[in-house]
Amino acid sequence: MSASVDLADFLPAYLAEAEELLGMGHRQLLAMEASIRRGLPHPRAVRELFRAVHTIKGLSAMVDVEPIVDIAHWMETCLRHADRAGGRLPEASVEPLMEGLREIEQRVRQLAAGKQAAPVPPGLLSRLEALDAEGAPGGSAAKAAPAALALEEAVASRLSTAEREQLTTGATDGRRAVRLDFIPGADRAANGITINSVRERVASLGETVKVLPLSGPAAGGGALTFVLLLLTEASDAALLEAAGGPPAAVRPLAVVAPRAPALEPLPESAMADEEPEEARRGGGSLRVDVSRLDEALERLAALVVNRSRLSRAVAALTAAGAPTRELQAILQENARQLRDMRTAILRLRMVRVGDVLERLPLLVRGLRRSTGKSVRLELDVGDAELDKAVADRLLPALVHLVRNAVDHALESPEARRAAGKPEEGVVRVASHGRAGGLLDLTVADDGRGVDARAVAARAGVPVPPTPDALLEVLCRPGFSTRDAANATSGRGMGMDIVQRIIVDQLGGELGMETRPGAGTTFRLRVPLTITLLDALVFECAGLRYAVAVGSVEELVEVDAARLVWPAGAGGVALLERRGDSVPLMGLARLLGRGAADGRGGSVAKALLVRQRGELAAFGVDRLVGQQEIVLRPLEDPLVRVPGVVGATDLGDGRPTLVLDLAALGLARAGGAPHRRMAPIREEGRLA
Amino acid sequence: MADVLVVDDSKVMRDMVVACLRPYPGLTFTHASSGLEAIERLSLQPYDLLVLDLNMPDIGGIEVVEFVRGQDRLRELPIIIVTTRGDDASRTRALAAGASCFMTKPFTPDAILSEVRGLLEGRRA
């Protein structure tokens, strides 16, 4: 018996989990840095970061990525010291740890791109090692007065000093310290009431300080009790319900005011604030590869196609006089179910805007260092959600706007002071809800505002009279308000890129308001969902077009010498394919762009498409390639043309039509100039 | 037939352990993503083998070992601790608490398989 397992197969799963752990690590490190600046320890963040790094190390060892193992190992050593020092990390440690996370991240990306992970950069380990040599940082470890909690020894002895202190000092502002006893049981587990689900529900009611298993006879005949020690504002009844009702029990932890501590007490907010988000959001979520959702959508599309066949068959039966009333009712029900299922699958693709923006604090932190400006980033996006495909495209635009705000809009601390503003500038990204399938976002700063006159002078145009006109000038390709490129924003503001993403790619809107000296607000409106299409892009009579890959049966080279031109066929040739004849139509001509005679065209390739079950070939000049496109449906009924499903931006800023060739061919076949196509098709089959 | 409880907060790691042990005939696997969940499952139904990560949120592997060894019913349950380089101190503590053996990452599928074989067959003998 030999193990035929290759752990390298786990690489994709490893990469996904590593990315997630790195995201968590970044958040914890930022929380730690915020604490350090306020002179407070942050033991939980230290522990959480340690755990993330430790897990990354172990996983990396399993899939044999030695450089990451090494980096993680040294980070861990440094964090262990901080943990022993009660969650105090010397400020000098933040940067090397940040660098460590970045280096790990870089290697994860390399692996994801199919490359080898680069070796550890020469300086990093020595910097991390140097931190280690400095030894445990100063600062007193938590050493509070003995806390007086109403707990039996079996529980009390298992609390750390910090946890005890949290329970005794955290009961303020209407919060109280309570003990919730949950007794697990097979019947409860069968109903989904397990320690994991209880923990999750309790997490939404308050702060869980500690969970302990206690063995021994328990209420209701159990042999195990989980003791949850909480700080909460919730009522006993709510807590009891969260634990599935009796035999669970709630008891207050009567806190006897501790004697004045001998040492200076640690501020009570040390652990309570800047809690990691995970604690609140809890489990219950699942990471799924987007391609799997797409696969589900494709399967669903097949069902929809099948349904319309079924519906046609029923219509035929009805026409033949068969009793189909019940069948039709079932069909209707089926249509509704398919719609619901589509909605359900699309909802799986939604991501929280808050999650999308979680890298912005890191960006601003970097900008703070590189620009020397004092900046506060405020994120207020609530629980808004977006399709992942939209979110992935939106993020670079937001990064651009935030970067511009810090780099160009915010003044130096001195200039702000001189202008009577607070030294610290504010950049605020907010979402004010959604309506009609659109999400509104604002990116606002309290900087110097856009100087319309300076913009006009630089662009060589008259001073724009309205904010919209000013924005239009700012969004001209290559427009710059700076003479020299700088490290963060490069040359120019790149507003053309923002406009390209928001307006051209996503089909959204971009607006701006600015007040000299007071600040600028960019308003973004984007659709919550977009349709992605795997498309073949080709050229025809000098223009580019796209079609869905799935609609094309085959792509063939056209050998002009082997085409048959039946007389009177109006320029439709016959293409030989596996002994069959397929009518070949020059697409340029169908689109009204080619010569009247198909012979004149330089058709080099043909796309074979099934039209009502029959193959038809559409001649094009050149195949450009295959790519994923964002399909923007043409919503204006006036411009709705049969055969044109929408438009897309291929990245060149020009709209490209997305065609439905089968519909286009049929529409033109029915149209006056090509009335003779149907008989020709028959001729083709006879040949 | 043997029921194995695999405890790790990393799903990838749990999947790897299961993949490594898959060639051993007659094993069924249950996952637990936290030490608390492991203790709950152990209190509700019997298992034949516990594969345990040391480093988890809430309560770690050592506390799980302590809990298991504190139960008469579970005193003989074989426990494999999965550790990482640098865990030396916790390893010693877990051993003292009553762990049966250790696998240090990186380990090969064959290595953990032969440990499991030893533990399960030794117990049966």
Side-chain angles (χ1 to χ4, degrees):
Chain A
M1 177 177 52
S2 90
S4 56
V5 185
D6 187 356
L7 293 179
D9 293 346
F10 284 88
L11 195 65
Y14 156 78
L15 293 172
E17 197 166 301
E19 284 270 6
E20 197 169 89
L21 290 164
L22 284 168
M24 201 245 273
H26 276 300
R27 285 197 297 280
Q28 303 298 353
L29 193 50
L30 288 174
M32 264 191 257
E33 192 186 32
S35 289
I36 291 172
R37 273 209 302 269
R38 285 161 31 212
L40 304 174
H42 201 328
R44 183 178 294 232
V46 169
R47 246 169 288 151
E48 291 291 317
L49 178 59
F50 177 86
R51 243 175 26 76
V53 171
H54 191 78
T55 306
I56 290 175
K57 180 172 95 168
L59 290 174
S60 304
M62 290 304 288
V63 293
D64 197 18
V65 190
E66 206 50 41
I68 295 184
V69 176
D70 286 340
I71 299 171
H73 181 71
W74 285 108
M75 291 177 67
E76 213 182 73
T77 310
C78 165
L79 288 164
R80 193 174 282 133
H81 284 306
D83 187 42
R84 287 189 188 138
R88 286 180 190 275
L89 186 77
E91 186 160 12
S93 303
V94 174
E95 200 46 46
L97 287 174
M98 197 62 92
E99 194 185 339
L101 286 178
R102 271 200 306 271
E103 294 291 344
I104 292 177
E105 189 166 32
Q106 205 178 33
R107 278 154 189 78
V108 167
R109 300 259 153 92
Q110 287 164 345
L111 292 167
K115 296 184 204 139
Q116 286 279 325
V120 182
L124 177 65
L125 289 192
S126 56
R127 277 194 291 285
L128 286 168
E129 223 165 324
L131 295 178
D132 186 28
E134 281 167 23
S140 60
K143 208 194 255 178
L149 292 164
L151 285 172
E152 68 258 42
E153 184 55 25
V155 176
S157 65
R158 285 154 78 180
L159 292 181
S160 72
T161 319
E163 286 158 350
R164 211 176 290 201
E165 192 179 352
Q166 200 182 347
L167 285 169
T168 49
T169 59
T172 52
D173 300 331
R175 289 207 304 180
R176 57 203 182 103
V178 297
R179 163 187 180 159
L180 172 63
D181 284 6
F182 166 65
I183 294 118
D187 49 338
R188 283 180 281 282
N191 289 323
I193 302 170
T194 63
I195 182 62
N196 280 357
S197 70
V198 169
R199 219 180 158 320
E200 209 172 293
R201 266 174 291 185
V202 166
S204 65
L205 296 173
E207 186 178 353
T208 308
V209 177
K210 182 83 175 175
V211 186
L212 283 169
L214 269 191
S215 47
L224 171 69
T225 307
F226 284 110
V227 178
L228 291 86
L229 303 177
L230 319 164
L231 290 167
T232 179
E233 291 175 38
S235 68
D236 284 4
L239 291 168
L240 199 59
E241 200 201 322
V250 184
R251 271 179 266 174
L253 286 179
V255 178
V256 181
R259 281 164 286 142
L263 290 167
E264 77 214 49
L266 290 170
E268 63 182 59
S269 62
M271 296 195 42
D273 90 358
E274 291 176 306
E275 275 299 290
E277 270 280 294
E278 281 83 353
R280 267 175 287 133
R281 259 184 282 146
S285 66
L286 172 72
R287 213 177 36 232
V288 180
D289 198 330
V290 176
S291 66
R292 292 201 186 169
L293 294 180
D294 292 341
E295 196 186 319
L297 269 183
E298 271 168 38
R299 298 270 151 89
L300 179 67
L303 276 179
V304 171
V305 170
N306 225 8
R307 201 205 83 89
S308 44
R309 283 179 56 198
L310 195 60
S311 142
R312 277 201 299 276
V314 171
L317 276 181
T318 313
T324 55
R325 179 129 40 116
E326 196 179 344
L327 262 180
Q328 285 182 357
I330 295 174
L331 265 181
Q332 242 169 34
E333 170 82 9
N334 180 244
R336 197 180 48 73
Q337 287 165 338
L338 285 174
R339 269 198 309 276
D340 289 352
M341 189 161 174
R342 179 176 178 277
T343 313
I345 295 178
L346 287 178
R347 272 184 50 194
L348 292 179
R349 296 186 46 113
M350 302 301 261
V351 294
R352 283 164 40 101
V353 180
D355 290 346
V356 177
L357 301 186
E358 70 182 11
R359 284 302 167 92
L360 289 183
L362 204 64
L363 170 77
V364 170
R365 177 184 183 278
L367 290 170
R368 211 183 277 139
R369 296 171 62 88
S370 63
T371 61
K373 292 177 185 175
S374 177
V375 193
R376 187 169 79 244
L377 176 72
E378 290 180 357
L379 294 179
D380 176 19
V381 291
D383 282 330
E385 291 186 333
L386 269 180
D387 189 307
K388 173 128 176 49
V390 179
D392 287 347
R393 285 162 179 76
L394 178 64
L395 183 62
L398 292 174
V399 164
H400 232 90
L401 288 172
V402 169
R403 204 172 258 175
N404 275 344
V406 178
D407 242 2
H408 303 296
L410 293 184
E411 312 88 334
S412 67
E414 304 77 50
R416 289 181 66 91
R417 208 172 28 227
K421 291 180 175 182
E423 274 185 31
E424 188 178 54
V426 177
V427 176
R428 184 177 160 82
V429 180
S431 166
H432 308 295
R434 43 190 270 190
L438 296 166
L439 179 77
D440 287 328
L441 281 160
T442 54
V443 179
D445 65 69
D446 66 347
R448 56 169 74 95
V450 179
D451 182 345
R453 222 165 301 176
V455 167
R458 183 159 293 273
V461 296
V463 176
T466 63
D468 284 349
L470 179 56
L471 181 62
E472 188 271 319
V473 177
L474 289 176
C475 290
R476 288 185 185 176
F479 178 81
S480 167
T481 50
R482 289 232 155 167
D483 289 323
N486 70 16
T488 46
S489 293
R491 181 181 292 279
M493 297 172 60
M495 281 304 296
D496 57 325
I497 295 169
V498 175
Q499 162 146 310
R500 167 92 51 85
I501 293 172
I502 302 300
V503 180
D504 300 335
Q505 275 192 12
L506 294 175
E509 293 166 28
L510 180 66
M512 183 187 75
E513 287 152 29
T514 187
R515 277 179 36 220
T520 306
T521 299
F522 287 94
R523 298 189 181 282
L524 288 70
R525 173 170 280 194
V526 293
L528 295 175
T529 59
I530 49 175
T531 310
L532 290 177
L533 203 62
D534 208 5
L536 281 174
V537 179
F538 53 86
E539 234 171 53
C540 191
L543 281 183
R544 287 188 174 187
Y545 300 92
V547 292
V549 169
S551 70
V552 177
E553 293 232 335
E554 204 179 327
L555 193 71
V556 294
E557 298 280 340
V558 176
D559 180 356
R562 300 192 57 188
L563 290 178
V564 182
W565 297 90
V572 175
L574 293 177
L575 179 77
E576 203 245 305
R577 178 182 171 268
R578 289 179 205 141
D580 245 348
S581 288
V582 179
L584 169 70
M585 291 158 272
L587 186 63
R589 211 165 57 85
L590 277 184
L591 294 166
R593 294 187 57 86
D597 180 2
R599 263 173 235 257
S602 54
V603 162
K605 302 238 184 213
L607 307 171
L608 264 58
V609 171
R610 217 164 264 282
Q611 269 178 351
R612 293 203 179 134
E614 300 290 330
L615 273 181
F618 294 84
V620 304
D621 300 345
R622 190 171 75 85
L623 187 73
V624 178
Q626 185 172 338
Q627 70 182 80
E628 188 179 67
I629 59 168
V630 179
L631 176 67
R632 287 171 44 200
L634 298 177
E635 266 150 16
D636 187 342
L638 291 177
V639 295
R640 194 166 286 166
V641 179
V644 178
V645 286
T648 189
D649 176 23
L650 296 175
D652 54 7
R654 284 184 305 181
T656 298
L657 289 183
V658 183
L659 305 176
D660 174 351
L661 291 177
L664 184 72
L666 288 173
R668 290 300 186 269
H674 307 288
R675 203 176 293 139
R676 303 195 56 190
M677 228 153 69
I680 287 155
R681 275 235 308 281
E682 276 168 23
E683 232 171 90
R685 247 202 326 249
L686 292 172
Chain B
M1 292 298 288
D3 291 325
V4 183
L5 181 61
V6 183
V7 191
D8 201 308
D9 55 325
S10 158
K11 181 176 183 308
V12 181
M13 200 57 221
R14 292 198 302 270
D15 289 344
M16 282 192 199
V17 168
V18 171
C20 288
L21 298 184
R22 193 68 80 191
Y24 194 93
L27 296 186
T28 56
F29 299 93
T30 306
H31 290 237
S33 60
S34 71
L36 292 171
E37 188 187 347
I39 286 178
E40 179 174 52
R41 290 190 181 280
L42 287 163
S43 78
L44 295 179
Q45 89 182 69
Y47 288 93
D48 302 292
L49 175 68
L50 181 58
V51 182
L52 189 60
D53 180 33
L54 269 191
N55 185 61
M56 288 182 290
D58 282 335
I59 73 167
I62 291 170
E63 284 168 89
V64 177
V65 176
E66 282 168 354
F67 171 84
V68 166
R69 293 305 180 225
Q71 311 281 306
D72 282 342
R73 198 166 59 76
L74 299 173
R75 211 155 293 227
E76 301 299 317
L77 175 69
I79 304 176
I80 298 182
I81 297 279
V82 175
T83 70
T84 306
R85 174 161 70 98
D87 279 340
D88 311 15
S90 344
R91 205 172 305 176
T92 316
R93 281 180 56 205
L95 189 62
S100 315
C101 70
F102 296 101
M103 299 301 308
T104 299
K105 293 179 237 178
F107 53 80
T108 62
D110 282 325
I112 188 167
L113 208 49
S114 80
E115 284 293 351
V116 167
R117 194 176 304 136
L119 287 169
L120 290 179
E121 281 156 29
R123 190 188 49 149
R124 248 171 243 158

